[in-house]
Amino acid sequence: MLAEASEVRLGTGLTAGAQDDQANVTTSGSLLDARDTGFIRIAGDLSLERNLAIATPGMVGADIDIGGALNGPFNLVLDAGAGDVSLGGAIGGTEALRSVVVGATAASLGSVAVAQAFDLAGVGETTLRGGVIEAAMGGLLRFGGGVRVAGDTSIAAPDGAIEFGGGLTPIGAPALTLDLGTTPLVLASDLGSAAAPFSAVTLRAGSVDAASIFTTDRIAFESQAIALRGSVYQA
């Protein structure tokens, strides 16, 4: 499906081959499905009017690429299997999504706002291009594999949970803030390395349990209790 209008509205569901929408898309359906043959690319914004699942066949190259913003107070599932997911615009920038679940070999994204959960447990590697990734009070932010931080990034889930399945690697010395409010923060892996440090790291939580941290400028612990398990805290 190739759409060249400025805006496309999808109804109760769409099943087809490779789908390439060169437009803003509003979907009132529950399924956008290209699992038979191809990829899904939406060049513009995607607005949700109900819960939505977007799926591809799951092989390498069967990617999901949304170039614009994602908005709507509903649940979104993006399942690319062995393909990649690229989210070019803000997620929930004007209207927070309820939850987002992503499955892919790799994912790339900017700012995110969700009411309940942003779950990338099914993603091998995530690239954060910079911005604010936040869940509302008591929400969950979960990253399944390694995280590459390519721009100044704040990850916040006040009184909720932030979980990392792998390490956080800075690209180009960005600043990083992790904010859990009064909830304990546990970091099993190092933040950066001697060869690839962050410019600054701020950890805000009820308590902090951290491995080694590498920066070029500053490390700030905004916590009542700190446990340092690493061997290097470089600023």
Side-chain angles (χ1 to χ4, degrees):
M1 182 187 76
L2 175 62
E4 296 183 347
S6 61
E7 184 172 355
V8 175
R9 179 175 290 272
L10 302 180
T12 55
L14 185 65
T15 301
Q19 300 181 33
D20 195 343
D21 294 325
Q22 304 297 327
N24 295 330
V25 173
T26 298
T27 175
S28 58
S30 59
L31 178 64
L32 184 58
D33 188 347
R35 283 179 292 187
D36 289 339
T37 59
F39 62 89
I40 292 176
R41 181 184 300 118
I42 297 172
D45 299 340
L46 176 60
S47 299
L48 277 62
E49 293 185 345
R50 62 180 294 180
N51 296 338
L52 176 67
I54 299 179
T56 68
M59 76 272 289
V60 174
D63 303 333
I64 297 173
D65 186 348
I66 302 174
L70 270 163
N71 288 291
F74 300 99
N75 301 317
L76 176 65
V77 176
L78 303 174
D79 184 5
D84 296 339
V85 170
S86 177
L87 303 174
I91 301 172
T94 58
E95 189 173 25
L97 276 69
R98 182 180 299 126
S99 70
V100 178
V101 177
V102 181
T105 296
S108 172
L109 55 105
S111 292
V112 177
V114 295
Q116 295 180 357
F118 185 63
D119 192 346
L120 282 75
V123 176
E125 181 179 75
T126 300
T127 298
L128 305 179
R129 299 190 304 271
V132 178
I133 299 173
E134 60 182 344
M137 188 71 67
L140 168 67
L141 302 173
R142 177 160 50 201
F143 301 86
V147 176
R148 292 160 49 92
V149 184
D152 292 348
T153 299
S154 173
I155 302 175
D159 298 339
I162 300 173
E163 300 177 5
F164 296 103
L168 281 79
T169 302
I171 307 300
L176 175 68
T177 297
L178 303 179
D179 184 356
L180 272 176
T182 62
T183 303
L185 174 63
V186 178
L187 298 170
S189 299
D190 294 348
L191 296 181
S193 66
F198 288 92
S199 61
V201 169
T202 300
L203 304 178
R204 184 177 300 120
S207 63
V208 173
D209 184 331
S212 293
I213 301 174
F214 297 84
T215 73
T216 60
D217 181 32
R218 175 175 56 86
I219 302 172
F221 296 96
E222 299 180 9
S223 174
Q224 295 183 353
I226 302 170
L228 302 179
R229 293 176 289 100
S231 57
V232 178
Y233 296 88
Q234 171 185 303

